Amino acid sequence: MELLSLSAPGWGVNLLQGLANSIQIAAGAFGLGLMIGICGAWGKLYGGPVVRDLLEVYTTVVRAVPELVLILILYFAGTDLINRLLGAFGYPPTDINGLVAGICVLGVVQGAYSTEVLRGAIQAIPQGQIEAARAFGMSPGLMLRRITLPAMLPFAIPGLANLWLIATKDTALLAIVGFTELTQTTRQAAGTTKAYFTFFMAAGVLYLALTLVSNVVIARIERRSRRGMPPVGAH
Amino acid sequence: MAVVAINRTTWQRTLGWLQPHRVVLIGIAAALVLSAAFFMRWDWLPDFLGLALQGLWRTIWLLIVTCTLGLMLAIPIGLVQVTGPWYLSLPAKAFCTIIRGTPLLLQLWLLYFGLGSLFPQFPWIRDSFLWPILRQAWPYGVLALTLSYAGYEGEVMRGAFAGVARGQLEAARAFGMSRWKIFRRVWLPQALHRALPTLAGETVLQLKATPLVATITMVDIYSVASRVRQETFITYEPLLLLALVYLTITGILVFAFRKLEARIPQRLG
């Protein structure tokens, strides 16, 4: 147990630092995914035929190929591309900031799932609300901000909650590319001290705590977004 | 298996797909094919083809075995959460929460590295007949993936069991069926039918989870791409091919599940 303490022989601080990194990457990726998702859902529902086709390819490919493969492709290709661009402008190649790379890679993956979740949610809004907004003469941007996004929230929250949990767990995959998030930190600590079982158990407890806390918060948000709506199951 | 005949409808559907705006998609596809033909290196492929096929078989085998075992575990886990006594339903609930609340990669490493590091403390394990199996990586991969599938699926089956109309079970009871017979003939078939769309999605997710076993030295199709990168320094081509392979398997899975769903008579709903 002293291996997990916060003072000198213990690795507690490193694990918590790893957890903080994990949460940062997950939050960033989830946010980026939401932005991509809003644009994507908008494009899929109201975009032109070409835009719809391209988005269809994006969501299909990302949802069918393992995250691990996507992470490798995007990571290698992304760093390669940036370094080539830098080279073209006469700068020396840089090491990409791991946090930013992780957020971008996972964000692109999350975006595909978000697109589908939000599209379903927007389609679940009663049509009369949208028609009323049009009748008031709202511009599309105002309509999105005042009507569509708030009205679709209760429909989108279960799916988005799921996505947030997936985001927190997908950060572990970045350990394979060598980011020092929680799983990678745990692996280093375990390798140094040879106490594999203890450390992986500890990391599991940390992830589980994150999940359970998230669940509580999500339940609150859902209750708030549903205010004024009939309770679930009422017909 | 149905024979796919190129009849008029198939032809018409193809023509319907070839609308003017699809020019963009076709252009992108053509660019991919051309760059694959002229700018990419495929000379490594013959050397690694045998290994790749072996890896592909390993991936498919893993998917089938872990999904089958996982579903067999998930049915009782879902069932006891609906009807079981608290001393069965509580552990089942906890199992689902733990599996769904921690990353699969961590579970895999906990089993492989964690258990592996505990073995030296128990000398009798080394002398047991299981030792030759426990020394290898595949039992841990199969176990981790099976438990993961069982955890997610247990939750799905719980909802499916709870969603079957009470009247169905009461009617079966009125016919004088035994509890086991009700479960086998009425409750389980209807629950499985309800769960089928979700099962299809989860199976695709399970396929996407299989490459993780490459991190514990198992040779699946994903690990072949890593090996090509290490031995020939060719990065993109194997990964591109890998993405295509996974896309194909996913397509087959989705198609198979759709056919399966279509075969179940609708009056079961």
Side-chain angles (χ1 to χ4, degrees), chain A residues 49 53-54 57 63-67 72 76-77 80 113 169 172-173 176 183 187 196-197 200 204 207-208 211, chain B residues 21-22 25 28 100-103 105-106 109-110 113-114 117-118 152 208 212 215 222 229 235-236 246-247 250:
Chain A
D53 267 3
L54 291 177
V57 170
R63 287 161 66 217
V65 177
E67 284 83 358
L72 283 189
F76 287 130
D80 214 25
Y113 286 92
K169 286 183 294 182
L173 296 178
I176 294 171
T183 305
R187 193 183 180 183
Y196 285 97
F197 196 80
F200 283 135
Y207 276 115
L208 203 55
T211 309
Chain B
H21 70 265
R22 291 265 151 75
L25 271 197
I28 291 173
R100 295 170 69 213
T102 52
L105 185 66
L106 192 77
W109 285 358
L110 177 70
F113 297 111
S117 71
L118 290 185
Y152 282 91
K208 290 169 62 176
L212 290 181
T215 59
Y222 167 83
R229 190 174 67 246
T235 305
Y236 298 117
Y246 279 114
L247 261 171
T250 307

Side-chain angles (χ1 to χ4, degrees), chain B residues 1-21:
Chain B
M1 283 304 293
V3 180
V4 179
I6 301 287
N7 50 19
R8 221 165 123 255
T9 51
T10 315
W11 180 235
Q12 275 174 339
R13 220 177 297 140
T14 316
L15 269 187
W17 192 84
L18 282 171
Q19 287 159 7
H21 70 265

